PDB file of all heavy atoms in Angstrom:
ATOM      1  N   ILE A1650      12.104  13.019  13.509  1.00  0.00           N
ATOM      2  CA  ILE A1650      13.059  12.231  14.246  1.00  0.00           C
ATOM      3  C   ILE A1650      12.482  11.695  15.554  1.00  0.00           C
ATOM      4  O   ILE A1650      12.639  10.479  15.914  1.00  0.00           O
ATOM      5  CB  ILE A1650      14.291  13.014  14.587  1.00  0.00           C
ATOM      6  CG1 ILE A1650      15.043  13.488  13.336  1.00  0.00           C
ATOM      7  CG2 ILE A1650      15.218  12.339  15.596  1.00  0.00           C
ATOM      8  CD1 ILE A1650      15.782  12.321  12.583  1.00  0.00           C
ATOM      9  N   ASP A1675      14.043   7.057   6.854  1.00  0.00           N
ATOM     10  CA  ASP A1675      15.484   7.360   6.659  1.00  0.00           C
ATOM     11  C   ASP A1675      15.834   7.976   5.302  1.00  0.00           C
ATOM     12  O   ASP A1675      16.627   8.931   5.231  1.00  0.00           O
ATOM     13  CB  ASP A1675      16.273   5.961   6.844  1.00  0.00           C
ATOM     14  CG  ASP A1675      17.778   6.187   6.814  1.00  0.00           C
ATOM     15  OD1 ASP A1675      18.295   7.178   7.302  1.00  0.00           O
ATOM     16  OD2 ASP A1675      18.441   5.297   6.253  1.00  0.00           O
ATOM     17  N   LEU A1678      14.690  11.620   5.314  1.00  0.00           N
ATOM     18  CA  LEU A1678      15.580  12.479   6.102  1.00  0.00           C
ATOM     19  C   LEU A1678      16.799  12.719   5.429  1.00  0.00           C
ATOM     20  O   LEU A1678      17.360  13.802   5.405  1.00  0.00           O
ATOM     21  CB  LEU A1678      15.738  11.738   7.477  1.00  0.00           C
ATOM     22  CG  LEU A1678      14.544  11.766   8.376  1.00  0.00           C
ATOM     23  CD1 LEU A1678      14.930  10.861   9.614  1.00  0.00           C
ATOM     24  CD2 LEU A1678      14.182  13.103   8.865  1.00  0.00           C
ATOM     25  N   ARG A1679      17.431  11.689   4.820  1.00  0.00           N
ATOM     26  CA  ARG A1679      18.771  11.878   4.220  1.00  0.00           C
ATOM     27  C   ARG A1679      18.651  12.728   2.905  1.00  0.00           C
ATOM     28  O   ARG A1679      19.603  13.509   2.594  1.00  0.00           O
ATOM     29  CB  ARG A1679      19.387  10.500   3.870  1.00  0.00           C
ATOM     30  CG  ARG A1679      19.909   9.817   5.174  1.00  0.00           C
ATOM     31  CD  ARG A1679      20.743   8.621   4.840  1.00  0.00           C
ATOM     32  NE  ARG A1679      19.906   7.572   4.204  1.00  0.00           N
ATOM     33  CZ  ARG A1679      20.303   6.862   3.164  1.00  0.00           C
ATOM     34  NH1 ARG A1679      21.431   7.153   2.501  1.00  0.00           N
ATOM     35  NH2 ARG A1679      19.499   5.890   2.694  1.00  0.00           N
ATOM     36  N   TYR A1682      17.388  16.464   4.500  1.00  0.00           N
ATOM     37  CA  TYR A1682      18.255  17.101   5.514  1.00  0.00           C
ATOM     38  C   TYR A1682      19.544  16.376   5.641  1.00  0.00           C
ATOM     39  O   TYR A1682      19.933  15.823   6.679  1.00  0.00           O
ATOM     40  CB  TYR A1682      17.481  16.993   6.897  1.00  0.00           C
ATOM     41  CG  TYR A1682      16.058  17.459   6.861  1.00  0.00           C
ATOM     42  CD1 TYR A1682      15.089  16.448   6.801  1.00  0.00           C
ATOM     43  CD2 TYR A1682      15.680  18.752   6.718  1.00  0.00           C
ATOM     44  CE1 TYR A1682      13.697  16.746   6.798  1.00  0.00           C
ATOM     45  CE2 TYR A1682      14.326  19.100   6.688  1.00  0.00           C
ATOM     46  CZ  TYR A1682      13.356  18.112   6.714  1.00  0.00           C
ATOM     47  OH  TYR A1682      12.033  18.478   6.569  1.00  0.00           O
ATOM     48  N   PRO A1683      20.311  16.308   4.506  1.00  0.00           N
ATOM     49  CA  PRO A1683      21.613  15.575   4.525  1.00  0.00           C
ATOM     50  C   PRO A1683      22.641  16.092   5.461  1.00  0.00           C
ATOM     51  O   PRO A1683      23.520  15.305   5.886  1.00  0.00           O
ATOM     52  CB  PRO A1683      22.062  15.600   3.064  1.00  0.00           C
ATOM     53  CG  PRO A1683      21.390  16.882   2.557  1.00  0.00           C
ATOM     54  CD  PRO A1683      20.126  16.982   3.215  1.00  0.00           C
ATOM     55  N   ARG A1684      22.560  17.306   5.808  1.00  0.00           N
ATOM     56  CA  ARG A1684      23.702  17.894   6.694  1.00  0.00           C
ATOM     57  C   ARG A1684      23.256  17.928   8.187  1.00  0.00           C
ATOM     58  O   ARG A1684      24.168  18.326   8.937  1.00  0.00           O
ATOM     59  CB  ARG A1684      23.961  19.324   6.190  1.00  0.00           C
ATOM     60  CG  ARG A1684      24.473  19.352   4.754  1.00  0.00           C
ATOM     61  CD  ARG A1684      24.844  20.775   4.381  1.00  0.00           C
ATOM     62  NE  ARG A1684      25.316  20.910   2.918  1.00  0.00           N
ATOM     63  CZ  ARG A1684      25.639  21.932   2.349  1.00  0.00           C
ATOM     64  NH1 ARG A1684      25.595  23.116   2.993  1.00  0.00           N
ATOM     65  NH2 ARG A1684      26.139  21.948   1.120  1.00  0.00           N
ATOM     66  N   GLU A1685      22.115  17.549   8.452  1.00  0.00           N
ATOM     67  CA  GLU A1685      21.627  17.587   9.850  1.00  0.00           C
ATOM     68  C   GLU A1685      22.265  16.340  10.649  1.00  0.00           C
ATOM     69  O   GLU A1685      22.143  15.253  10.180  1.00  0.00           O
ATOM     70  CB  GLU A1685      20.123  17.516   9.948  1.00  0.00           C
ATOM     71  CG  GLU A1685      19.451  18.798   9.341  1.00  0.00           C
ATOM     72  CD  GLU A1685      19.657  19.964  10.273  1.00  0.00           C
ATOM     73  OE1 GLU A1685      19.975  19.788  11.565  1.00  0.00           O
ATOM     74  OE2 GLU A1685      19.442  21.074   9.771  1.00  0.00           O
ATOM     75  N   THR A1686      22.813  16.666  11.760  1.00  0.00           N
ATOM     76  CA  THR A1686      23.271  15.574  12.562  1.00  0.00           C
ATOM     77  C   THR A1686      22.275  14.589  12.980  1.00  0.00           C
ATOM     78  O   THR A1686      22.555  13.376  12.989  1.00  0.00           O
ATOM     79  CB  THR A1686      23.946  16.190  13.879  1.00  0.00           C
ATOM     80  OG1 THR A1686      25.019  17.132  13.541  1.00  0.00           O
ATOM     81  CG2 THR A1686      24.583  15.083  14.743  1.00  0.00           C
ATOM     82  N   ALA A1687      21.044  15.080  13.233  1.00  0.00           N
ATOM     83  CA  ALA A1687      19.933  14.168  13.705  1.00  0.00           C
ATOM     84  C   ALA A1687      19.619  13.179  12.560  1.00  0.00           C
ATOM     85  O   ALA A1687      19.360  12.013  12.803  1.00  0.00           O
ATOM     86  CB  ALA A1687      18.709  15.030  13.998  1.00  0.00           C
ATOM     87  N   SER A1688      19.770  13.640  11.331  1.00  0.00           N
ATOM     88  CA  SER A1688      19.466  12.664  10.171  1.00  0.00           C
ATOM     89  C   SER A1688      20.457  11.645  10.161  1.00  0.00           C
ATOM     90  O   SER A1688      20.246  10.423   9.932  1.00  0.00           O
ATOM     91  CB  SER A1688      19.442  13.433   8.869  1.00  0.00           C
ATOM     92  OG  SER A1688      18.406  14.352   8.794  1.00  0.00           O
ATOM     93  N   ARG A1689      21.798  12.027  10.277  1.00  0.00           N
ATOM     94  CA  ARG A1689      22.925  10.990  10.208  1.00  0.00           C
ATOM     95  C   ARG A1689      22.839  10.116  11.365  1.00  0.00           C
ATOM     96  O   ARG A1689      23.044   8.808  11.230  1.00  0.00           O
ATOM     97  CB  ARG A1689      24.244  11.799  10.183  1.00  0.00           C
ATOM     98  CG  ARG A1689      24.469  12.569   8.956  1.00  0.00           C
ATOM     99  CD  ARG A1689      25.947  12.989   8.811  1.00  0.00           C
ATOM    100  NE  ARG A1689      26.399  13.887   9.947  1.00  0.00           N
ATOM    101  CZ  ARG A1689      26.308  15.225   9.822  1.00  0.00           C
ATOM    102  NH1 ARG A1689      25.791  15.696   8.663  1.00  0.00           N
ATOM    103  NH2 ARG A1689      26.756  15.901  10.826  1.00  0.00           N
ATOM    104  N   ASP A1690      22.453  10.557  12.585  1.00  0.00           N
ATOM    105  CA  ASP A1690      22.312   9.692  13.746  1.00  0.00           C
ATOM    106  C   ASP A1690      21.203   8.660  13.547  1.00  0.00           C
ATOM    107  O   ASP A1690      21.296   7.454  13.952  1.00  0.00           O
ATOM    108  CB  ASP A1690      22.015  10.510  14.958  1.00  0.00           C
ATOM    109  CG  ASP A1690      23.254  11.353  15.463  1.00  0.00           C
ATOM    110  OD1 ASP A1690      24.356  11.046  14.940  1.00  0.00           O
ATOM    111  OD2 ASP A1690      23.114  12.284  16.287  1.00  0.00           O
ATOM    112  N   PHE A1691      20.094   9.122  12.943  1.00  0.00           N
ATOM    113  CA  PHE A1691      18.931   8.229  12.682  1.00  0.00           C
ATOM    114  C   PHE A1691      19.369   7.131  11.744  1.00  0.00           C
ATOM    115  O   PHE A1691      19.049   5.955  11.842  1.00  0.00           O
ATOM    116  CB  PHE A1691      17.758   8.952  12.201  1.00  0.00           C
ATOM    117  CG  PHE A1691      16.476   8.105  12.143  1.00  0.00           C
ATOM    118  CD1 PHE A1691      15.727   7.867  13.227  1.00  0.00           C
ATOM    119  CD2 PHE A1691      15.997   7.638  10.958  1.00  0.00           C
ATOM    120  CE1 PHE A1691      14.509   7.065  13.196  1.00  0.00           C
ATOM    121  CE2 PHE A1691      14.922   6.746  10.877  1.00  0.00           C
ATOM    122  CZ  PHE A1691      14.165   6.529  11.945  1.00  0.00           C
ATOM    123  N   HIS A1692      20.107   7.486  10.655  1.00  0.00           N
ATOM    124  CA  HIS A1692      20.593   6.569   9.653  1.00  0.00           C
ATOM    125  C   HIS A1692      21.510   5.511  10.372  1.00  0.00           C
ATOM    126  O   HIS A1692      21.389   4.386  10.001  1.00  0.00           O
ATOM    127  CB  HIS A1692      21.342   7.384   8.575  1.00  0.00           C
ATOM    128  CG  HIS A1692      21.954   6.498   7.543  1.00  0.00           C
ATOM    129  ND1 HIS A1692      21.172   5.690   6.715  1.00  0.00           N
ATOM    130  CD2 HIS A1692      23.217   6.199   7.164  1.00  0.00           C
ATOM    131  CE1 HIS A1692      21.907   5.022   5.838  1.00  0.00           C
ATOM    132  NE2 HIS A1692      23.172   5.303   6.164  1.00  0.00           N
ATOM    133  N   GLU A1693      22.355   5.921  11.121  1.00  0.00           N
ATOM    134  CA  GLU A1693      23.282   4.977  11.810  1.00  0.00           C
ATOM    135  C   GLU A1693      22.512   4.042  12.746  1.00  0.00           C
ATOM    136  O   GLU A1693      22.830   2.874  12.801  1.00  0.00           O
ATOM    137  CB  GLU A1693      24.251   5.790  12.733  1.00  0.00           C
ATOM    138  CG  GLU A1693      25.329   6.469  11.928  1.00  0.00           C
ATOM    139  CD  GLU A1693      26.191   5.513  11.107  1.00  0.00           C
ATOM    140  OE1 GLU A1693      26.473   4.379  11.557  1.00  0.00           O
ATOM    141  OE2 GLU A1693      26.548   5.839   9.920  1.00  0.00           O
ATOM    142  N   ARG A1694      21.393   4.533  13.314  1.00  0.00           N
ATOM    143  CA  ARG A1694      20.614   3.660  14.141  1.00  0.00           C
ATOM    144  C   ARG A1694      19.912   2.592  13.279  1.00  0.00           C
ATOM    145  O   ARG A1694      19.874   1.429  13.646  1.00  0.00           O
ATOM    146  CB  ARG A1694      19.599   4.397  14.917  1.00  0.00           C
ATOM    147  CG  ARG A1694      18.782   3.640  15.870  1.00  0.00           C
ATOM    148  CD  ARG A1694      17.982   4.427  16.855  1.00  0.00           C
ATOM    149  NE  ARG A1694      17.355   3.623  17.882  1.00  0.00           N
ATOM    150  CZ  ARG A1694      16.720   4.073  18.934  1.00  0.00           C
ATOM    151  NH1 ARG A1694      16.701   5.426  19.128  1.00  0.00           N
ATOM    152  NH2 ARG A1694      16.228   3.273  19.808  1.00  0.00           N
TER     153      ARG A1694
END
Side-chain angles (χ1 to χ4, degrees):
I1650 295 290
D1675 181 39
L1678 291 170
R1679 286 190 293 134
Y1682 315 102
R1684 298 182 180 179
E1685 295 287 342
T1686 301
S1688 293
R1689 295 196 293 271
D1690 289 345
F1691 188 79
H1692 178 62
E1693 286 300 319
R1694 184 165 189 173

